[in-house]
Amino acid sequence: MKSNVNSLCPCGSLKKYKKCCKIFHDNIKFPSNALELMKSRFSAFAFLRSDYIMKTTHKKNCDFSLDTLAWNKDIEQFCKNTNFKELEILDFIDDDFESFVTFKANLYQNKKDLSFIEKSRFLKENNIWLYVDGEFFNID
């Protein structure tokens, strides 16, 4: 995806990126719930905002690393080689400190469909939502 602030936000809001997830990526505002965080993370991958991905990943996540240079490089390589086509929200279970978002991410690499469905788990710590982990499902 081209990093154009005037293009539609990849999160599916139908708003321009600069009026949507960019405010989270630029630390102007924090997501108020896990659904906003999930959508803003998808957009961060699409706009190659690895700093945001790392900042919003819980320490219990298997990808979390104190080696931020290597972690950043891995995220950027994935982002550069992936076309983040569409995000579909399938379910949202909201709670005060633990929430779940089930979504379908439509992704492509070298014209190969890598789309998947995931039920993501988020925890709220120090009033900030973080991505912990996810359960993957087959696409039927």
Side-chain angles (χ1 to χ4, degrees):
M1 165 176 266
K2 287 186 178 179
S3 295
N4 181 342
V5 296
N6 289 310
S7 60
L8 287 179
C9 192
C11 79
S13 67
L14 301 178
K15 296 178 188 175
K16 290 182 179 183
Y17 170 67
K18 69 181 179 183
K19 299 280 187 180
C20 194
C21 291
K22 189 175 187 313
I23 62 173
F24 302 124
H25 300 163
D26 291 345
N27 297 314
I28 295 168
K29 183 179 173 187
F30 291 105
S32 61
N33 59 44
L35 181 59
E36 277 189 346
L37 177 61
M38 199 271 122
K39 289 176 154 191
S40 66
R41 283 176 58 90
F42 183 84
S43 293
F45 279 110
F47 275 91
L48 222 157
R49 294 296 303 261
S50 55
D51 58 326
Y52 186 77
I53 298 300
M54 293 188 301
K55 182 179 84 172
T56 58
T57 301
H58 195 280
K59 290 179 182 173
K60 291 183 180 177
N61 182 283
C62 64
D63 291 329
F64 183 88
S65 175
L66 294 175
D67 183 353
T68 55
L69 291 176
W71 188 16
N72 183 63
K73 185 179 177 184
D74 288 345
I75 294 169
E76 287 188 359
Q77 183 176 2
F78 173 72
C79 293
K80 287 177 183 175
N81 294 318
T82 305
N83 181 5
F84 297 84
K85 201 77 168 153
E86 181 184 18
L87 175 67
E88 298 174 53
I89 303 302
L90 305 176
D91 192 25
F92 175 41
I93 302 168
D94 193 21
D95 202 353
D96 291 338
F97 297 101
E98 182 179 42
S99 294
F100 298 88
V101 180
T102 305
F103 64 92
K104 180 180 179 189
N106 295 300
L107 311 177
Y108 294 86
Q109 284 182 349
N110 300 320
K111 298 181 183 177
K112 182 179 178 187
D113 187 350
L114 298 179
S115 301
F116 63 91
I117 294 174
E118 178 181 331
K119 181 178 183 180
S120 294
R121 181 169 66 109
F122 299 87
L123 293 177
K124 190 175 189 181
E125 291 186 356
N126 300 317
N127 217 27
I128 295 173
W129 285 101
L130 299 168
Y131 171 69
V132 182
D133 54 26
E135 179 182 355
F136 292 89
F137 299 95
N138 291 331
I139 298 178
D140 296 327

